Amino acid sequence: METELKALTRMQTAAIQEDQATPSADFAVPVQDTGGYVPERSRSEQYIALAIFLLSFLYLCIFRRATWIDLDEGIILQGAQRILDGQVLYRDFFSFFTPGSYYLLALVFRIFGDSYLVAHTALALVGAAFSPITYLLARRVCLRQPSLLVTGLMTVTALPVRFVVLHNWDSTLWACLALYCAVRLLETPSTGWAFAAASFTSVTTLFEQSKGAGLLLGLVTGFVIITLEGQQRKLFTRRRLITTLLGFTWPFLVVLAYFARYHALTTMLADWFWPLQHYSASNRVPYAYGNMSKDALFGVFHTGSLPMRLVTRLVLSAPSWVPYLPPLGGALLVRLSVPRWRRLAPGQDCAYYILISATISGLWLSVIAARADYIHFMFLQPIFFLTLAWLLDGRGIRDRFFIRLAPLFGFCFSVSLLAMAAQLLVFQASPNTVVATRRGVIAMHAKDMLIDYIQSFAAPGEKILVYPYGSSYYYLTQTYSPTRYEFYQPGMHTDQQLQEMLAEFSAHPTRIVLYEPGFADHIPEGWPNTPAAALVSDPMADYIVREYRGCVMLDSATNWHFLFMVRKDLACPTAEKPSR
């Protein structure tokens, strides 16, 4: 058995070398000391990576104007707007994650203009950057065809599944860059790659603390295993260790100095650690949770014609198996860490697999610790999909069973992901409603009455209250929350924060309130772990009902129903409500 496996490995290695080796200067030369393949040394591979980036960007630009008014997107958009207006994060408004996305988007707005299209164009650039990184990392141990296949499947499904401005996408880009630089450090030990890998790891933490912690854990674990096994004992000299420490430290020093200057340092640190006690209280969900209620699941899988149910099952099949790719990376790490299980000679490939599988394991743990629904696995798809590439064509780690079944696996995975991609493309590329907002023109599949109503009766820059959840409306209509909080989530925000919100609002009550009285009905679907005690009372809602009069019920694009209200000392608007 071992003789056959070694023969298969030699055959596959010979095939890869035949595919890669050529007398032309356009092709890469394997690293002489380890035999590892470095695609960056090939001019043709560089052109392919550039083409992948450009094609990915053009494809993702299709989604720029399309939206369904994602309720979370406004958190970053409105936060960046507050910063442009001179406010300081943490001091003037609340956030429970690190500041990177807010200030990066504020910088983009400052340079290119403040609009929804600019924000989504920047998002398309972030998504396009995923593709060449995934390709180059997969190409090191896989042939070109499977590397391109996996990269293409990732491109058409990862970002399009939730094409909204979130810190999750920004932080994933920095994590990808950190992992890429760490792999380059293995191949070309230098202070430059060590500094870059450490810096990007630090920046990842400053965009999302849980992902940064998981990335750091994974990289450190991988390098420790590689060093202890003697594969690269001189990888971290004293000089490189000092450089690595400086690379990881300098972004934090800049951030600490900035917030200390604006007297927000202690508030910032308190908000950074706030999720450890409060976030999981309502956001913990079963592994690979689909974010759908029981009624919705029944409607999707048990109603309609048989062909339609089959198509629906195919479209929704990918979210059911994508979350199980990271455990494969963890299993591979365990296998490679035990010499008698390894079946792979020490060298560049072994170190590569250990480092990446350890990083995948660390990021996997970060998802489990935060919110393990399927969408959070999709956020890390550019890295997690490396295990899919290995499953299809990983050099030196597959046994005969996986080699024989690789074509079947590739076909099934491709059909599942392409069905999902087709649904996303059709849904996003063919909106039937165009809305002119104060932040630019957007396109939707359903009419959203709130935007028209707010823009008809609230002046630009006016403070209104959208309660409890709907921060995207602030940004799109160029209005502002009257409190430090853009939204309220029962069970996650504390009673003290709710009382603070109420005190700020009651001291300066706004003229207009958009209130969603049925918000509690959505909680079992989105936040099933919400404590029942958090739903017993809502003093903010009681104050709204007591002090405001309802005028008209408005339907959102997501089929939520908001009551347009004004203070009781004011009369309801007399103009006709916008058409549906």
Side-chain angles (χ1 to χ4, degrees):
M1 181 66 178
E2 292 184 0
T3 304
E4 292 176 356
L5 289 173
K6 291 179 180 178
L8 286 171
T9 302
R10 286 196 297 270
M11 291 172 61
Q12 188 180 20
T13 303
I16 292 175
Q17 291 175 348
E18 182 179 354
D19 178 72
Q20 297 167 350
T22 180
S24 172
D26 289 344
F27 286 81
V29 178
V31 179
Q32 297 299 321
D33 57 341
T34 60
Y37 177 62
V38 182
E40 290 82 357
R41 297 183 180 183
S42 164
R43 190 175 302 171
S44 61
E45 295 288 1
Q46 294 174 6
Y47 290 152
I48 290 173
L50 178 60
I52 289 172
F53 172 79
L54 295 176
L55 291 173
S56 299
F57 177 69
L58 292 175
Y59 179 79
L60 294 174
C61 281
I62 296 173
F63 302 88
R64 288 185 305 162
R65 291 193 186 276
T67 182
W68 60 91
I69 314 295
D70 187 282
L71 299 180
D72 289 334
E73 186 173 34
I75 298 173
I76 297 296
L77 292 172
Q78 190 67 0
Q81 184 60 49
R82 284 182 181 244
I83 292 171
L84 288 178
D85 293 337
Q87 297 187 34
V88 176
L89 179 61
Y90 308 119
R91 187 193 69 183
D92 300 320
F93 62 101
F94 173 77
S95 175
F96 58 85
F97 46 85
T98 38
S101 294
Y102 290 107
Y103 284 88
L104 177 62
L105 186 58
L107 178 62
V108 171
F109 283 160
R110 179 73 72 184
I111 297 173
F112 299 102
D114 186 358
S115 73
Y116 195 74
L117 184 61
V118 167
H120 274 215
T121 302
L123 181 62
L125 284 170
V126 170
F130 293 152
S131 301
I133 298 174
T134 298
Y135 172 76
L136 292 173
L137 290 177
R139 186 70 177 93
R140 281 164 161 76
V141 293
C142 300
L143 294 174
R144 183 174 294 160
Q145 183 177 356
S147 299
L148 287 172
L149 174 64
V150 171
T151 300
L153 293 174
M154 183 277 299
T155 301
V156 298
T157 56
L159 190 60
V161 78
R162 200 173 182 192
F163 196 91
V164 294
V165 178
L166 295 171
H167 63 288
N168 307 85
W169 293 123
D170 297 341
S171 56
T172 294
L173 174 60
W174 303 120
C176 288
L177 290 171
L179 178 58
Y180 175 80
C181 293
V183 171
R184 298 292 284 134
L185 176 61
L186 283 177
E187 299 162 343
T188 310
S190 68
T191 55
W193 288 118
F195 183 83
S199 297
F200 284 127
T201 301
S202 178
V203 171
T204 303
T205 308
L206 291 173
F207 276 70
E208 184 184 340
Q209 55 267 53
S210 62
K211 191 175 296 180
L215 175 66
L216 179 62
L217 174 63
L219 290 176
V220 170
T221 301
F223 278 121
V224 167
I225 294 174
I226 292 169
T227 303
L228 291 179
E229 292 191 350
Q231 297 187 38
Q232 296 198 28
R233 292 187 181 276
K234 297 182 179 181
L235 182 62
F236 285 102
T237 60
R238 178 180 297 179
R239 182 179 178 183
R240 289 194 200 108
L241 283 174
I242 294 174
T243 302
T244 301
L245 182 61
L246 290 175
F248 186 79
T249 303
W250 77 263
F252 281 100
L253 294 178
V254 171
V255 171
L256 293 174
Y258 171 83
F259 285 100
R261 177 186 175 188
Y262 289 102
H263 309 288
L265 184 59
T266 56
T267 306
M268 178 198 75
L269 294 176
D271 286 2
W272 283 11
F273 291 101
W274 182 89
L276 294 177
Q277 296 179 322
H278 305 290
Y279 182 83
S280 61
S282 58
N283 285 281
R284 189 170 300 280
V285 295
Y287 194 85
Y289 181 66
N291 295 309
M292 297 178 67
S293 64
K294 292 182 180 179
D295 292 340
L297 288 172
F298 181 84
V300 166
F301 293 109
H302 300 285
T303 60
S305 63
L306 178 60
M308 183 57 66
R309 292 202 305 269
L310 292 176
V311 171
T312 302
R313 289 177 183 270
L314 181 61
V315 169
L316 297 179
S317 61
S320 66
W321 59 262
V322 167
Y324 295 94
L325 290 176
L328 295 179
L332 178 61
L333 177 63
V334 174
R335 174 182 165 186
L336 294 176
S337 300
V338 181
R340 62 190 182 93
W341 293 351
R342 183 177 298 153
R343 297 182 181 180
L344 188 66
Q348 187 67 36
D349 285 353
C350 186
Y352 161 92
Y353 282 122
I354 289 175
L355 181 62
I356 293 187
S357 60
T359 303
I360 289 173
S361 300
L363 293 171
W364 177 40
L365 292 176
S366 73
V367 174
I368 294 175
R371 183 180 170 94
D373 61 354
Y374 84 92
I375 195 67
H376 280 76
F377 290 98
M378 301 295 283
F379 288 142
L380 282 161
Q381 197 168 303
I383 294 176
F384 288 164
F385 258 38
L386 292 174
T387 58
L388 178 58
W390 300 343
L391 189 64
L392 299 180
D393 193 47
R395 180 175 66 229
I397 60 171
R398 300 180 303 159
D399 58 23
R400 185 165 54 182
F401 172 79
F402 286 104
I403 292 174
R404 288 178 175 177
L405 291 183
L408 178 61
F409 288 154
F411 175 77
C412 293
F413 293 148
S414 298
V415 170
S416 174
L417 291 166
L418 289 175
M420 179 182 180
Q423 185 270 336
L424 294 170
L425 181 60
V426 170
F427 180 79
Q428 298 279 14
S430 58
N432 53 26
T433 301
V434 176
V435 179
T437 76
R438 289 170 179 161
R439 302 295 187 184
V441 177
I442 60 175
M444 297 178 288
H445 273 273
K447 178 69 175 180
D448 191 283
M449 301 173 66
L450 277 74
I451 295 175
D452 290 338
Y453 233 83
I454 294 172
Q455 294 187 153
S456 296
F457 302 114
E462 183 176 351
K463 290 185 178 181
I464 67 171
L465 178 67
V466 182
Y467 187 82
Y469 215 120
S471 55
S472 294
Y473 291 107
Y474 292 131
Y475 179 76
L476 291 172
T477 62
Q478 203 174 339
T479 55
Y480 292 85
S481 167
T483 76
R484 298 180 64 249
Y485 302 90
E486 307 293 356
F487 69 99
Y488 168 67
Q489 182 182 327
M492 186 181 77
H493 289 92
T494 65
D495 292 338
Q496 180 181 353
Q497 289 175 321
L498 183 58
Q499 292 296 331
E500 180 183 356
M501 188 185 306
L502 176 59
E504 294 177 2
F505 179 61
S506 59
H508 303 283
T510 61
R511 189 170 59 91
I512 296 172
V513 168
L514 277 299
Y515 172 54
E516 217 283 319
F519 181 74
D521 297 335
H522 306 297
I523 289 178
E525 172 187 332
W527 306 279
N529 199 49
T530 301
L535 305 176
V536 172
S537 65
D538 185 345
M540 187 76 169
D542 295 339
Y543 179 86
I544 292 172
V545 172
R546 186 173 63 250
E547 301 294 333
Y548 285 76
R549 73 171 79 246
C551 297
V552 61
M553 189 67 74
L554 305 174
D555 298 332
S556 72
T558 54
N559 201 32
W560 286 23
H561 311 291
F562 286 79
L563 183 61
F564 185 92
M565 309 179 75
V566 297
R567 287 199 317 265
K568 286 188 174 179
D569 60 324
L570 302 174
C572 288
T574 57
E576 294 183 1
K577 69 179 182 180
S579 60
R580 291 176 181 267

